[in-house]
Amino acid sequence: TSTRTEYFEMWRSAMGAGFIVAFMAILKIYSASATLPPLGYALAYSLNYSSLFMLMHVLHLTLATKQPAMTASAIAAAISGIRGRMKDVEKLAGVVTDVIRSQIAAILGNVLVALPMAMLIALAIERATGKPCMTAEKAHLLLHAISPFDSLALFYAAIAGVCLFLAGLISGYYDNLAAYERIRERVEHIRWLKGLLGDKRLTRLATYLHNNLGALAGNFFFGIMMGTMGTIGFMTGLPLDVAHVTISSAYFGLAIVTLDFAVDLPTVLHALLGIGLIGFVNLSVSFSLALMVALRARGVAFSQTGALIAILIGRLRTNWKQFFWPQDK
């Protein structure tokens, strides 16, 4: 997001992902209301998450919490080239500023669409069917689950952060696998597929799989982890579940409409604070783990953390807008 064009493109892609997450949330609510065995719920949730996460990638949309695995790698690459030179720490501060700006744009784009879109969906369902999309009891439970004071929301957000980190590792594994196993060449030589699609379409498919196998696999397995974690907690009796900032904002919108907007102000404020803190924990946990692995993979130890923090604080004091809006260069 170093230029205005890139910045608005990030907002567009993030808003598109927020639109899909609203439907993901309502599908999760209806899946939860079905009568299924525990593993049936896990399968239904996993298919919902995985298919729509993969759809977001195919449509070139951005889920904010999927960024840390990529941005951590970029920062690690910048750190590996510092070698103690202060001017390079300045360049690194520029990279970090760009990352912060892109992350803020992505998460706001997600939430500011997912929340009102979920409310519109809930209103449409209520008008079409004559009843809300969930019970009032379920709506109160959702609001309680988002509250950072009355629930384990932040702990569950940390678990989601670990899942995001693992999804990044899985993406890297399958990207390497696509190159090492020469997926593109092997797909191009499948005779029945060539007869079905023709040479040009088969070449496009093979190229797409080569370039996107890692991202598709990472999104698929991230959906599996998101969908099964609660069931694992239920079956083992352990406090295991996930809390994701964009999905939580959609749940908030659904719950508010179900309760006919009759929610006291402290509950609303607790929920909004919870959404913000869930997002912070999602990103900080996944980013920290990804950065640690990226640094170890490059064999570098960053010893100028203090200098970097000082530069970032100086930028914040002198021109805080650069963390939210691309500056003319």
Side-chain angles (χ1 to χ4, degrees):
T1 57
S2 56
T3 67
R4 293 189 180 186
T5 300
E6 294 172 349
Y7 180 77
F8 287 118
E9 176 61 23
M10 176 60 73
W11 268 92
R12 183 203 64 79
S13 63
M15 292 170 73
F19 179 84
I20 291 180
V21 167
F23 288 93
M24 182 187 295
I26 194 66
L27 288 174
K28 170 72 181 301
I29 294 298
Y30 279 113
S31 297
S33 65
T35 303
L36 298 170
L39 291 179
Y41 286 116
L43 178 61
Y45 300 160
S46 297
L47 289 175
N48 176 26
Y49 288 136
S50 293
S51 59
L52 292 181
F53 285 147
M54 293 172 72
L55 177 63
M56 289 180 200
H57 176 74
V58 171
L59 296 178
H60 305 290
L61 304 179
T62 300
L63 189 66
T65 52
K66 293 302 298 295
Q67 285 185 283
M70 311 306 163
T71 54
S73 179
I75 291 175
I79 291 174
S80 66
I82 287 178
R83 299 177 183 175
R85 295 192 294 270
M86 196 62 189
K87 64 179 182 179
D88 289 334
V89 179
E90 286 278 0
K91 292 181 180 178
L92 175 61
V95 173
V96 174
T97 302
D98 289 343
V99 167
I100 293 173
R101 181 170 56 250
S102 68
Q103 196 68 74
I104 291 174
I107 203 165
L108 288 177
N110 283 171
V111 171
L112 293 179
V113 170
L115 198 161
M117 189 64 204
M119 296 174 72
L120 288 174
I121 293 172
L123 288 169
I125 291 173
E126 188 170 341
R127 172 162 292 191
T129 64
K131 58 182 181 180
C133 61
M134 70 182 93
T135 64
E137 181 183 5
K138 178 66 175 179
H140 284 295
L141 286 175
L142 287 178
L143 292 176
H144 177 268
I146 299 172
S147 172
F149 307 115
D150 305 320
S151 68
L152 294 175
L154 300 186
F155 177 67
Y156 294 155
I159 294 177
V162 174
C163 292
L164 286 158
F165 161 69
L166 294 176
L169 293 185
I170 292 170
S171 293
Y173 169 80
Y174 277 94
D175 275 332
N176 289 333
L177 183 70
Y180 184 76
E181 297 288 354
R182 302 178 68 182
I183 295 295
R184 175 165 39 197
E185 291 85 350
R186 294 171 72 172
V187 171
E188 287 176 339
H189 285 83
I190 300 176
R191 293 183 180 179
W192 68 267
L193 198 56
K194 181 179 294 187
L196 180 65
L197 299 178
D199 289 338
K200 291 184 178 180
R201 290 180 180 176
L202 181 60
T203 299
R204 288 201 297 268
L205 174 63
T207 302
Y208 184 84
L209 289 176
H210 175 81
N211 294 332
N212 295 275
L213 183 62
L216 291 172
N219 280 295
F220 175 78
F221 284 105
F222 178 54
I224 297 295
M225 288 184 278
M226 289 281 289
T228 58
M229 191 61 65
T231 302
I232 293 173
F234 172 77
M235 295 177 69
T236 60
L238 297 173
L240 297 177
D241 207 341
V242 289
H244 186 277
V245 55
T246 313
I247 300 173
S248 295
S249 66
Y251 286 157
F252 174 71
L254 295 174
I256 291 293
V257 172
T258 298
L259 297 173
D260 199 23
F261 299 92
V263 183
D264 58 90
L265 183 60
T267 300
V268 172
L269 294 178
H270 284 182
L272 293 177
L273 177 62
I275 291 171
L277 292 177
I278 287 170
F280 175 78
V281 174
N282 285 161
L283 298 175
S284 59
V285 170
S286 58
F287 179 78
S288 298
L289 293 172
L291 182 61
M292 179 183 68
V293 170
L295 288 174
R296 290 189 64 182
R298 292 177 177 273
V300 297
F302 185 45
S303 59
Q304 300 199 40
T305 306
L308 174 63
I309 293 175
I311 293 172
L312 291 174
I313 292 175
R315 289 185 175 212
L316 188 62
R317 288 176 176 174
T318 57
N319 185 15
W320 60 269
K321 293 181 180 179
Q322 64 185 300
F323 290 93
F324 301 91
W325 183 260
Q327 304 297 294
D328 295 330
K329 295 182 179 181

